[in-house]
Amino acid sequence: MATTGKRTRRPAPEPAKCPDCDGKGETTETVRVGARKGRATDDRQAALCLTCLGTGEAPD
């Protein structure tokens, strides 16, 4: 009588990370002030990654 071995499932491969946001889904943008010149300040604000739309996965 032969013994039956248990088959183990391979884990699903992780989806590739978005190259723009490194898989976080957010990027930081520089805050600009002023109507004409748009002077950049030292402040930053979080913005949704437009490449992956916040999922963190690389688009196909």
Side-chain angles (χ1 to χ4, degrees), residues 19-36:
D20 292 341
C21 65
D22 296 325
K24 296 178 185 175
E26 287 186 348
T27 59
T28 55
E29 296 288 329
T30 303
V31 175
R32 297 188 173 270
V33 293
R36 289 187 299 143

Side-chain angles (χ1 to χ4, degrees), residues 2-5 7-8 10-11 14-17 20 22-25 28 31-32 35 39 41 43-44 49 53 56 60:
T3 61
T4 58
R7 293 187 183 194
T8 58
R10 292 184 190 168
E14 280 190 31
K17 290 184 178 180
D20 292 341
D22 296 325
K24 296 178 185 175
T28 55
V31 175
R32 297 188 173 270
R39 187 188 69 207
T41 64
D43 298 318
R44 304 255 182 218
C49 178
L53 299 175
D60 292 330

